[in-house]
């Protein structure tokens, strides 16, 4: 008897995510009104009755998720992940289970429904962030401090909210859990929770932050490739805050962002880059300007980023290298002028191009060195220039002269 391929076959479900490389994280909730980031309630010990009054003034008149989606698309991002509920406990959707929600705020809107429609219509993948932690619901902390009944109530509450999220908004592509630490996987009934999620959303991709391994690993504020065969995504802030903080002007430069993106792509991982809209729903103009600049760079250089593969090329002097099939992309973080030398490449180089301008380059291939010439004196791209090398086979590097390589990187092919 022939067995049908399962729609939950990992590679099929994961295919878009493994190509995507760049997504937008959005931290947005009542905390935007306070302008100190998303931890204000907890860090400033704001009394709950005072905090809950924020809902009465939360009326984001400029909320236009179509503009968010357009910006994400213009930035070259392929998916968006919005905080449906952060640790503050406020739900951005029409919840029957949690009254502390956007329908009962001054907004009187299902903000999440509008978001899902806009992101989907822009052709982007739809992601939900959901914090398992909850400062608003007293059962969360009580359960954790030993009140078993409160804990059971809270876990039931969590499952019920997750059911709403998974059932009310059509196809959801990705689920980003956060803050599971207070309870064990068994207490969360995490296996049952994710089984329910996958039953309602058979194609969904789930992160590893519900005390279960699931589909991908989530380093935060740094890059760290997961072991071969495991998908990963680094989430990072654009300034130093996740939630809106107008006094924080410590933004990453567009060059820093494209370098980070190229580094993630060199390890076949994704970058989920955050913006924190203000209480009116506007993405800060500084964030917007950086993202647009990154998008311009991706328009020219996107082929070196999207769909990049895992490789074991090491030890170069220029910067991150990405690989796709028989092609190598050298991201020239260090730009040395007209000549670029690639050491130890064992393949034949068929063509060399400066991706940034389309200009053909010259190749002088010697036994241990590939010397590329004809590059301009100065880096032609203001952010990051890229050289594309087309080879006769998947790139390989002779590492016999690299002392200790096999000990440091035991999974290397040689
Ligand atoms: C950090 C922050 C949290 C944020 C998360 C995103 O853990 O404390 O507020 O949502 O990063 O991964």
């Amino acid at each position: 008897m022939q067995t049908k391929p399962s729609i939950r076959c990992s590679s099929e479900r994961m295919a878009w995510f493994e190509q995507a490389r760049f997504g937008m994280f959005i931290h947005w909730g009542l905390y935007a009104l306070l302008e100190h980031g998303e931890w204000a309630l907890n860090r400033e010990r704001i009394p709950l009755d005072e905090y809950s009054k924020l809902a009465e003034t939360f009326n984001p008149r400029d909320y236009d998720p179509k503009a968010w989606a357009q910006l994400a698309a213009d930035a070259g991002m392929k998916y968006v992940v919005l905080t449906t509920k952060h640790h503050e406990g406020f739900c951005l959707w029409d919840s029957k289970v949690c009254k502390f929600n956007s329908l009962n705020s001054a907004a009187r809107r299902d903000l999440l429904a509008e978001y899902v429609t806009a992101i989907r219509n822009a052709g982007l993948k739809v992601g939900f962030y959901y914090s398992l932690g909850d400062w608003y619901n007293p059962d969360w902390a009580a359960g954790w401090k030993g009140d078993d009944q409160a804990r059971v109530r809270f876990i039931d509450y969590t499952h019920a909210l997750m059911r709403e999220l998974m059932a009310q908004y059509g196809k959801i592509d990705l689920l980003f859990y956060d803050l599971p630490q207070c309870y064990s996987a068994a207490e969360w009934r995490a296996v049952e929770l994710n089984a329910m999620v996958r039953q309602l959303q058979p194609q969904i991709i789930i992160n590893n932050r519900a005390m279960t391994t699931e589909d991908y690993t989530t380093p935060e504020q740094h890059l760290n490739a997961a072991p071969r065969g495991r998908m990963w995504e680094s989430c990072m802030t654009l300034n130093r805050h996740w939630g809106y903080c107008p006094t924080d002007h410590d933004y990453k430069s567009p060059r820093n962002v494209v370098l980070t993106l190229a580094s993630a792509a060199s390890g076949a991982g994704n970058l989920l880059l955050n913006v924190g809209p203000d209480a009116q729903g506007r993405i800060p103009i500084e964030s917007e300007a950086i993202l647009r600049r990154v998008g311009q760079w991706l328009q020219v250089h996107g082929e070196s980023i999207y769909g990049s593969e895992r490789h074991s090329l090491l030890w170069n002097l220029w910067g991150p290298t990405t690989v796709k099939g028989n092609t190598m992309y050298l991201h020239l973080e260090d730009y040395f002028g007209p000549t670029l030398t690639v050491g130890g490449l064992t393949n034949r180089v068929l063509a060399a191009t400066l991706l940034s301008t389309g200009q053909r380059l010259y190749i002088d291939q010697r036994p241990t060195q590939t010397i590329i010439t004809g590059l301009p004196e100065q880096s032609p791209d203001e952010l990051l220039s890229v050289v594309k090398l087309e080879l006769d086979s998947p790139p390989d590097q002779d590492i016999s002269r690299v002392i200790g390589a096999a000990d440091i990187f035991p999974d290397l092919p040689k």
Side-chain angles (χ1 to χ4, degrees):
M1 200 183 82
Q2 254 196 327
T3 49
K4 267 203 192 156
S6 158
I7 46 162
R8 284 177 48 187
C9 147
S10 165
S11 55
E12 188 195 325
R13 264 190 319 111
M14 297 290 287
W16 72 264
F17 193 57
E18 286 167 353
Q19 303 278 313
R21 296 292 165 267
F22 199 22
M24 177 183 274
F25 211 173
I26 306 180
H27 275 68
W28 195 48
L30 296 182
Y31 43 82
L33 285 160
L34 298 175
E35 306 191 338
H36 296 169
E38 77 288 359
W39 275 73
L41 165 59
N42 177 276
R43 290 289 153 91
E44 296 177 4
R45 306 290 193 276
I46 302 172
L48 269 188
D49 54 348
E50 196 182 304
Y51 195 86
S52 61
K53 289 206 184 87
L54 290 176
E56 294 164 21
T57 52
F58 185 61
N59 189 9
R61 289 202 179 83
D62 297 325
Y63 174 54
D64 177 11
K66 289 197 281 305
W68 291 2
Q70 190 57 53
L71 177 61
D74 291 348
M77 291 160 155
K78 304 295 185 192
Y79 62 109
V80 183
V81 181
L82 170 67
T83 51
T84 62
K85 172 176 91 72
H86 203 266
H87 316 339
E88 66 175 0
F90 181 74
C91 298
L92 292 182
W93 75 95
D94 182 9
S95 174
K96 302 288 172 275
V97 180
C98 168
K99 295 285 163 251
F100 193 38
N101 72 50
S102 64
L103 262 292
N104 295 328
S105 75
R108 308 235 165 273
R109 290 155 78 177
D110 187 326
L111 300 166
L112 189 62
E114 295 175 39
Y115 157 84
V116 171
T117 305
I119 302 300
R120 208 183 274 140
N121 287 347
L124 302 170
K125 298 288 181 187
V126 180
F128 283 1
Y129 163 107
Y130 178 89
S131 175
L132 292 159
D134 203 308
W135 298 320
Y136 189 79
N137 185 333
D139 284 340
W140 176 66
W144 165 35
K145 287 176 189 150
D147 179 340
D148 287 343
Q149 283 181 348
R151 174 173 50 76
V152 170
R153 268 199 310 273
F154 185 73
I155 306 294
D156 285 346
Y157 171 80
T158 301
H159 284 230
L161 286 181
M162 194 50 66
R163 180 173 287 282
E164 286 186 341
L165 283 175
M166 294 298 122
Q168 285 176 200
Y169 298 96
K171 184 164 182 269
I172 305 305
D173 301 293
L174 182 140
L175 174 59
F176 190 117
Y177 286 115
D178 197 16
L179 204 66
Q181 288 84 349
C182 298
Y183 297 120
S184 66
E187 285 169 329
W188 282 119
R189 307 197 328 262
V191 173
E192 179 192 326
L193 180 65
N194 286 333
M196 183 258 286
V197 167
R198 291 194 193 279
Q199 197 218 337
L200 293 166
Q201 298 285 346
Q203 301 288 332
I204 205 164
I205 294 172
I206 305 180
N207 79 350
N208 64 340
R209 294 196 188 173
M211 295 299 190
T212 54
T213 311
E214 299 298 338
D215 296 318
Y216 69 102
T217 302
T218 53
E220 192 170 290
Q221 298 288 35
H222 69 283
L223 297 177
N224 188 11
R228 217 168 258 275
R230 170 83 175 160
M231 189 50 199
W232 62 280
E233 172 205 69
S234 280
C235 55
M236 288 191 190
T237 49
L238 200 46
N239 54 3
R240 288 183 303 101
H241 287 79
W242 300 94
Y244 182 58
C245 183
T247 50
D248 176 2
H249 300 290
D250 199 359
Y251 280 91
K252 293 182 173 61
S253 66
R255 172 172 159 85
N256 183 317
V257 173
V258 298
L259 271 169
T260 307
L261 190 53
S263 300
S266 76
N270 292 345
L271 174 65
L272 183 64
L273 190 61
N274 183 73
V275 295
D278 69 12
Q280 295 304 328
R282 292 173 301 223
I283 291 175
I285 47 169
E286 286 138 305
S287 304
E288 179 174 344
I290 296 163
L291 295 181
R292 291 202 180 283
R293 187 68 191 86
V294 170
Q296 285 165 4
W297 184 88
L298 277 166
Q299 286 258 318
V300 178
H301 301 93
E303 69 166 89
S304 78
I305 301 293
Y306 305 118
S308 63
E309 296 159 12
R310 198 68 181 238
H311 65 80
S312 16
L313 300 172
L314 299 163
W315 296 286
N316 70 63
L317 293 179
W318 55 81
T321 302
T322 58
V323 169
K324 259 165 43 179
N326 293 356
T327 307
M328 268 173 95
Y329 298 92
L330 322 184
H331 297 80
L332 307 185
E333 178 176 8
D334 280 307
Y335 191 87
F336 300 119
T339 304
L340 176 71
T341 304
V342 183
L345 204 60
T346 57
N347 317 80
R348 208 157 72 78
V349 183
L350 306 176
T353 323
L354 184 56
L355 189 61
S356 312
T357 61
Q359 184 197 328
R360 273 298 167 119
L361 301 169
Y362 303 102
I363 308 154
D364 172 9
Q365 211 159 7
R366 302 180 186 178
T368 64
Q369 292 178 310
T370 304
I371 301 172
I372 312 291
T373 53
L375 288 135
E377 202 63 53
Q378 304 292 330
S379 178
D381 191 280
E382 227 178 85
L383 295 192
L384 182 63
S385 296
V386 180
V387 166
K388 172 180 178 179
L389 299 184
E390 288 160 86
L391 315 178
D392 63 347
S393 48
D396 201 5
Q397 202 178 24
D398 172 14
I399 55 164
S400 57
R401 281 167 61 183
V402 184
I403 296 159
D407 302 333
I408 307 169
F409 299 98
D411 69 334
L412 282 179
K414 293 176 200 165

